[in-house]
Amino acid sequence: MDKIILGKTGIVSDKNGFGALPMQRVSEAQAGVLLTKAYDSGITLFDTARMYSDSEKKIGVHLSGVRKNITLTTKTMAHGADGFWRDLHTSLTMLKTDCIDVYQLHNPPFCPKPGDESGLYDALLEAKREGKIRFIGITNHSIFVAEEAVQSGLYDTLQFPLSYLSTERETALVQLCKAHNVGFIAMKALCGGLITNAAAAYAYLNQPDFDTVVPIWGIQHESELDEFIAYRHNPPALTADLQKVIARDRAELAGNFCRGCGYCMPTCPAEIQINNCARMIQLIRRSPSAQWLTSEMQSAMRNIENCTECGTCRTKCPYGIDTPTLLKENLADYEAIVAGKTTI
Ligand code: SF4
Ligand code: SF4
């Protein structure tokens, strides 16, 4: 089984990490089943965040007994030192540990540095001095912030979206991290659900170019976990058939498309479910369509008509997407599908 050294941290991880965001959507008992099975199968890196509601708590409950055998990475979205310390203490309590292996700043809109106004980096250094964290990481969706963070030499790890739909510049981050000995944790290897062929996603990231990357697979169902465990033993090869899948997906999803990250959402005055509605047509085409055509989903889509064009979502989208326009395009196509005027 492939092992990865996470850059200058020296942490040795199994090639597959466990992305624990979906733990907030499953029951306590189901979380126990998944986390324990993942650990028993050899997965050692578990990534969570303060903002994933009770995900940290479930990890603490089910994995604290094997704490010394695993790597815990979590994150804070705090804007300043007060929030940072509040989050860190809560995370330590929830995870039932006295030290977090990699503590990451969660998608800050800039690259925090020592002595800056936010005080975030100084707080990270203090937490490290106090032994509450071992290493300093950053997560981001902005290529600009990510590149600056890696080049700054201030961060031990970078967590960034990486999949076969990534751009050349995004993919080049892997080599940049290698050159600076920064660990690379890859999120969204399934591109927020738009990649539906897990074997293709796995085979792509299993190439020698990515031998320093630890993908964290967001796992909600036992069948998904079983699939990734099976891949650990028998990694799918990048066959001609899978290459065709990748080429087709790249052609279909080229250009600006919503990755479903949700960073634009909490402040939408019309409470539009942007992370689903702005990519609805892709979701309908690429996953079982019935779930996207229910009466609840039709109401959610029609709520796009209440968009005030305030533009807040556009300014918050790390991919520079013209979100209000994309929403309206999706609504027009959706109405045509619902009315039977077009085929899926
Ligand atoms: S532009 Fe529309 S979708 Fe975007 S935040 Fe404003 S109301 Fe919501
Ligand atoms: S519009 Fe942008 S910020 Fe909003 S969910 Fe999609 S990709 Fe994320």
Side-chain angles (χ1 to χ4, degrees), residues 13-89:
S13 168
D14 183 78
K15 171 76 183 173
N16 297 282
F18 190 102
L21 182 150
M23 289 302 93
Q24 62 188 335
R25 302 190 205 116
V26 302
S27 68
E28 175 82 40
Q30 180 63 2
V33 168
L34 294 171
L35 291 164
T36 307
K37 189 169 192 178
Y39 172 75
D40 288 343
S41 308
I43 291 176
T44 52
L45 186 143
F46 292 82
D47 180 80
T48 180
R50 188 78 290 279
M51 79 165 296
Y52 301 163
S53 67
D54 62 0
S55 166
E56 287 179 327
K57 185 166 177 243
K58 286 166 174 159
I59 291 175
V61 167
H62 296 288
L63 294 179
S64 55
V66 294
R67 172 67 186 96
K68 64 179 189 322
N69 303 331
I70 60 173
T71 297
L72 286 178
T73 66
T74 189
K75 336 178 176 75
T76 173
M77 283 193 104
H79 298 295
D82 289 350
F84 174 96
W85 288 109
R86 254 195 319 275
D87 274 1
L88 177 55
H89 287 132

Side-chain angles (χ1 to χ4, degrees), residues 161-291:
L162 183 70
S163 71
Y164 63 67
L165 295 175
S166 298
T167 63
E168 241 174 67
R169 185 168 175 180
E170 289 165 341
T171 309
L173 267 176
V174 173
Q175 297 309 319
L176 191 68
C177 280
K178 222 184 243 191
H180 290 264
N181 203 17
V182 170
F184 194 113
I185 301 171
M187 61 166 133
K188 301 210 178 292
L190 297 173
C191 206
L194 290 181
I195 293 177
T196 49
N197 190 318
Y202 195 101
Y204 175 78
L205 286 183
N206 209 30
Q207 296 178 96
D209 279 357
F210 302 132
D211 61 355
T212 52
V213 172
V214 179
I216 46 168
W217 304 100
I219 288 161
Q220 181 168 346
H221 303 289
E222 198 167 352
S223 56
E224 295 161 350
L225 179 57
D226 290 341
E227 189 170 9
F228 287 113
I229 291 170
Y231 291 163
R232 288 182 70 246
H233 297 280
N234 289 305
L238 201 51
T239 57
D241 281 350
L242 289 185
Q243 283 176 8
K244 268 189 214 151
V245 169
I246 291 173
R248 195 192 55 220
D249 282 356
R250 281 178 175 158
E252 206 172 291
L253 293 164
N256 282 343
F257 64 94
C258 170
R259 275 79 166 173
C261 66
Y263 284 115
C264 56
M265 278 174 62
T267 46
C268 171
E271 297 185 0
I272 295 166
Q273 283 182 34
I274 302 173
N275 63 334
N276 283 331
C277 296
R279 56 183 187 143
M280 182 52 71
I281 302 309
Q282 285 143 338
L283 288 171
I284 287 175
R285 292 207 173 111
R286 303 178 65 79
S287 57
S289 58
Q291 61 183 313

Side-chain angles (χ1 to χ4, degrees), residues 264 267-270 272 274 306-314 324 327:
C264 56
T267 46
C268 171
I272 295 166
I274 302 173
N306 295 320
C307 170
T308 61
E309 298 276 354
C310 70
T312 310
C313 54
R314 198 186 288 119
L327 283 166

Side-chain angles (χ1 to χ4, degrees), residues 1-15:
M1 246 66 69
D2 290 342
K3 299 283 179 203
I4 307 288
I5 298 174
L6 204 53
K8 63 185 92 161
T9 70
I11 291 171
V12 179
S13 168
D14 183 78
K15 171 76 183 173

Side-chain angles (χ1 to χ4, degrees), residues 286-298:
R286 303 178 65 79
S287 57
S289 58
Q291 61 183 313
W292 305 113
L293 296 167
T294 59
S295 54
E296 289 82 15
M297 205 35 85
Q298 289 184 34

Side-chain angles (χ1 to χ4, degrees), residues 107-109 139-148 158 160-161 170 173 318-319:
N107 200 39
T139 80
N140 227 274
H141 288 255
S142 156
I143 185 72
F144 308 107
V145 175
E147 286 173 347
E148 187 182 350
L158 169 73
F160 195 81
E170 289 165 341
L173 267 176
Y319 301 100

